[in-house]
Amino acid sequence: MSEKPMEKTMVNLSEMSRRDVIKTLGPAAAAVGLAGCMGGDSGGDGGSDGGGDGGDGGTTSTTTQSSSQPQVGGTLNAGMKVGIETMDGRSVTGLQSFQVFYNIYSKLMRWRRDGDELVLVGDLATEWEWEDDTTLVISLNEDAVFHNGEPVTANDVAYTFDTLYDQPQYTASLLFAQDVTVSARDEHTVEFDTGEQPFASLESTLGFIVGIINEKADKEGDMSSNPVGSGPFVFEEWVDGDHVYMNKFEDYWKEDEDGTQLPYLDRIEFTIYPDVNTKLTTLEQDQLDWIDLVPRREVERIRNHDTLVTEDSGQGAFMGIIQFNTTAPPFSDPNVRKAVLHAMDWDTVLEVAFHGVASRADNFPIPPQSGWDPDVEDPYQGQDLERAEELLAEAEVDHTAEFTNFVTRGDNIRITMQELLQEMLNQNLGMNFNIQIADGSVVFEEQSNNNFGFTVSGFNGMFDPDQMFSVNLVEGAFFNYGGYVNEEIQQLVPQARQTTDRAQREELYGQIMEQYIADAGKYYPYWDHAVQAMQPRVKNYKPLLDQEWWFEQVWLDQSM
């Protein structure tokens, strides 16, 4: 298998705007689906469990890793939150969907943590290279087979991407900022043609999304409910809101370093828990082996638990983001936006809302492990009420104009955050800030119609600046809530994507950062640390920064 240091990276967006998504999926489905990797949050305490696993093995709070050899066999009993929407590998509809189904599907590449760095490793790909600035050539593992016995071929890869672009229900297309043409050169060689311009983040995007589909299985069945992949586990059953079962793929084509066939586990049974407390209690009663997220208020206790093991993602799991409605007062005035950012006390917000299980970011939305560092100072570090008052005096709109922020019912962390910010802004700046709690579909529709003051949300899996900026700063992009447009940024984003030299790209991203800081158009204030817990018999589980759950080399110490 080929491994490459992360030198070029990620994302993309099709021609679909947010309104196109609503038309295709409907507001309720779109709200749930796109909250998966964008606009979502890694968790709420109380009734809502949040949405993700940990980071890329960033910090392990308790270590009971055995030095014994991996053991083959056993069933992993896993507890997870509600949220599966589809089992189709061409979708990013619901974070929990792809957290589960990427154990069923293989991707071309995957992200892995190597010390303090992120690297791309081959999954189906054995090697890959840029033949020229616009042609990426990927060689496939010739031993790979699908669960129906069909060999994995370059035609299957081309079919996967052809259908991805042609059929709007396959929402992974939203993460490709530039169209590509995919074709088979021979049975096990795939060509990605990026057209007239380079697509510097393509490799990184392929490491994040798109499970490769078997053409025959897709035409004969329904991948959304009965998936057929080439990954380590074979789908058995999904009962919505209750469970997902999968079994070891006996003909899986990968081995470990000692020549033992993977995966080690015989079976995974995911049980879906609407309530986080019940899920945690079940783990403590030793009726589960692993859970996807520890409620924030319980993290300290579970870290000091007598037996349970925890994994803390550290920085990089979920990036928080504030998006202002720049189309209407009071946030149509950049001085009001800047004043609000100076008036926010994020140390208090993170301590109260996240119980300290989060850390301050520097207004650049890419994990530090990625190696990207434009080295631009964030002027909004620390609360500065005096500067906030000076900016309000310069504003050309009435900063006391009433506005309402909508928050999803049951999302307790985000509700708490909004309440804290409401108190800070109303008391310190005399603003007229209201909060309305509503169903997720209502929140999504109100935000899509720019009927709000500012949103506080999150996203995951973005390891290349192009990924985030293409969907968050480009005019009309589906995750650009609030209508923020900066004409220079509109030119810089594609220019950086179509530049192949990393140092030059980083310089361009520094210029982009300077622009949105000067406008206070967006703000990226914190990293949410996702913490998972498991029994000490669970071995070799390494959470991933892109929030996938990867059980290929997890094993159970059956003597414990």
Side-chain angles (χ1 to χ4, degrees):
M1 182 185 300
S2 171
E3 296 189 9
K4 297 179 67 176
M6 189 198 64
E7 296 179 349
K8 300 177 182 177
T9 19
M10 17 201 316
V11 117
N12 322 339
L13 169 86
S14 73
E15 295 298 320
M16 290 184 72
S17 68
R18 192 184 314 110
R19 296 186 183 277
D20 295 322
V21 176
I22 297 173
K23 291 176 183 177
T24 301
L25 300 179
V32 174
L34 296 184
C37 58
M38 317 233 177
D41 205 332
S42 76
D45 291 343
S48 174
D49 191 353
D53 77 332
D56 224 356
T59 305
T60 303
S61 59
T62 308
T63 56
T64 57
Q65 296 293 328
S66 171
S67 60
S68 62
Q69 293 297 312
Q71 298 173 23
V72 176
T75 296
L76 182 80
N77 293 295
M80 63 174 291
K81 73 162 289 184
V82 174
I84 298 175
E85 296 294 321
T86 181
M87 288 289 178
D88 196 302
R90 293 162 290 193
S91 296
V92 290
T93 307
L95 175 59
Q96 289 69 40
S97 297
F98 64 77
Q99 286 174 326
V100 170
F101 69 51
Y102 280 140
N103 288 281
I104 297 170
Y105 295 101
S106 300
K107 297 188 288 187
L108 292 173
M109 307 165 191
R110 289 184 182 269
W111 280 103
R112 194 185 75 182
R113 178 81 174 266
D114 183 8
D116 293 331
E117 297 181 348
L118 291 169
V119 296
L120 275 173
V121 299
D123 195 7
L124 284 170
T126 57
E127 59 182 5
W128 59 95
E129 65 176 354
W130 285 96
E131 198 170 71
D132 53 49
D133 285 348
T134 61
T135 308
L136 177 65
V137 180
I138 299 176
S139 299
L140 303 178
N141 191 309
E142 297 183 8
D143 296 324
V145 294
F146 288 103
H147 299 159
N148 60 357
E150 293 283 313
V152 177
T153 70
N155 285 328
D156 291 302
V157 177
Y159 172 82
T160 298
F161 282 88
D162 286 346
T163 53
L164 178 73
Y165 281 108
D166 290 344
Q167 301 180 40
Q169 72 267 28
Y170 301 136
T171 51
S173 63
L174 293 168
L175 301 187
F176 284 81
Q178 188 168 312
D179 286 345
V180 295
T181 301
V182 184
S183 59
R185 286 192 173 182
D186 57 42
E187 187 175 7
H188 294 106
T189 307
V190 183
E191 176 185 301
F192 283 76
D193 182 353
T194 69
E196 296 183 359
Q197 296 292 338
F199 187 173
S201 62
L202 177 59
E203 289 170 82
S204 187
T205 305
L206 296 176
F208 178 39
I209 55 170
V210 186
I212 300 304
I213 303 292
N214 174 241
E215 180 175 2
K216 179 180 178 182
D218 189 47
K219 290 180 176 178
E220 294 178 350
D222 183 356
M223 295 300 101
S224 67
S225 59
N226 190 25
V228 176
S230 59
F233 294 94
V234 180
F235 174 79
E236 179 184 307
E237 181 179 64
W238 167 31
V239 176
D240 191 22
D242 190 78
H243 67 260
V244 178
Y245 296 157
M246 58 183 70
N247 297 301
K248 175 178 183 173
F249 181 29
E250 297 293 346
D251 294 324
Y252 191 51
W253 37 282
K254 288 188 188 179
E255 298 177 342
D256 68 11
E257 293 179 353
D258 296 324
T260 302
Q261 185 186 18
L262 298 170
Y264 301 122
L265 296 169
D266 285 338
R267 180 175 172 85
I268 303 177
E269 295 186 356
F270 292 101
T271 300
I272 298 169
Y273 289 85
D275 181 72
V276 293
N277 301 308
T278 302
K279 180 174 57 178
L280 179 59
T281 299
T282 306
L283 179 72
E284 292 190 83
Q285 293 172 344
D286 202 11
Q287 297 176 33
L288 287 171
D289 298 308
W290 174 95
I291 64 171
D292 57 350
L293 195 70
V294 178
R296 301 306 188 285
R297 66 183 179 281
E298 295 282 6
V299 164
E300 191 62 28
R301 181 177 70 85
I302 299 302
R303 280 175 173 164
N304 295 304
H305 199 278
D306 289 340
T307 58
L308 296 178
V309 176
T310 60
E311 291 275 357
D312 184 335
S313 68
Q315 290 187 347
F318 281 85
M319 164 57 75
I321 176 173
I322 288 184
Q323 305 199 67
F324 292 103
N325 179 8
T326 63
T327 66
F331 298 113
S332 55
D333 191 317
N335 283 321
V336 176
R337 301 196 295 266
K338 294 175 187 178
V340 163
L341 293 180
H342 280 298
M344 291 177 173
D345 179 359
W346 280 101
D347 290 338
T348 297
V349 172
L350 299 184
E351 183 60 37
V352 175
F354 291 91
H355 298 268
V357 190
S359 56
R360 195 72 166 88
D362 59 2
N363 204 12
F364 183 62
I366 305 301
Q369 300 92 331
S370 69
W372 293 99
D373 182 13
D375 194 25
V376 177
E377 183 178 356
D378 175 14
Y380 307 111
Q381 293 285 331
Q383 189 181 46
D384 188 344
L385 296 178
E386 182 178 352
R387 180 57 181 150
E389 292 289 354
E390 293 172 352
L391 288 161
L392 290 181
E394 299 173 11
E396 297 180 357
V397 302
D398 180 5
H399 74 275
T400 66
E402 185 175 12
F403 65 92
T404 299
N405 289 349
F406 293 83
V407 193
T408 302
R409 182 176 290 107
D411 191 344
N412 293 340
I413 284 184
R414 208 168 300 175
I415 291 171
T416 300
M417 293 173 70
Q418 289 277 5
E419 290 173 345
L420 290 167
L421 295 173
Q422 178 189 45
E423 182 177 3
M424 293 173 189
L425 300 183
N426 286 356
Q427 289 189 3
N428 294 324
L429 301 184
M431 302 192 80
N432 197 352
F433 172 178
N434 302 310
I435 297 172
Q436 184 171 329
I437 298 172
D439 291 339
S441 59
V442 174
V443 174
F444 184 81
E445 192 162 11
E446 296 292 347
Q447 291 178 352
S448 297
N449 292 326
N450 289 335
N451 184 23
F452 64 94
F454 60 84
T455 70
V456 183
S457 56
F459 58 87
N460 65 285
M462 303 300 188
F463 302 155
D464 184 288
D466 181 51
Q467 287 186 278
M468 191 58 216
F469 294 153
S470 292
V471 299
N472 190 228
L473 295 177
V474 171
E475 183 176 7
F478 76 89
F479 195 46
N480 185 358
Y481 292 116
Y484 172 62
V485 178
N486 174 296
E487 293 302 330
E488 188 163 348
I489 289 177
Q490 305 312 299
Q491 302 299 317
L492 288 170
V493 170
Q495 181 182 348
R497 183 191 314 123
Q498 294 163 4
T499 298
T500 58
D501 182 85
R502 183 178 172 113
Q504 292 178 15
R505 293 185 70 206
E506 190 164 68
E507 182 178 341
L508 292 169
Y509 291 129
Q511 295 176 34
I512 291 172
M513 193 174 176
E514 290 170 350
Q515 290 294 316
Y516 68 71
I517 286 175
D519 293 342
K522 307 285 181 181
Y523 191 59
Y524 309 99
Y526 66 89
W527 289 107
D528 179 0
H529 300 206
V531 178
Q532 297 169 304
M534 63 208 75
Q535 304 293 343
R537 59 180 171 268
V538 177
K539 305 298 182 182
N540 206 37
Y541 177 75
K542 299 296 182 185
L544 304 172
L545 270 184
D546 58 13
Q547 300 308 294
E548 292 179 27
W549 306 332
W550 184 229
F551 294 100
E552 180 195 62
Q553 297 195 37
V554 171
W555 56 279
L556 294 173
D557 187 336
Q558 298 171 55
S559 67
M560 299 180 70

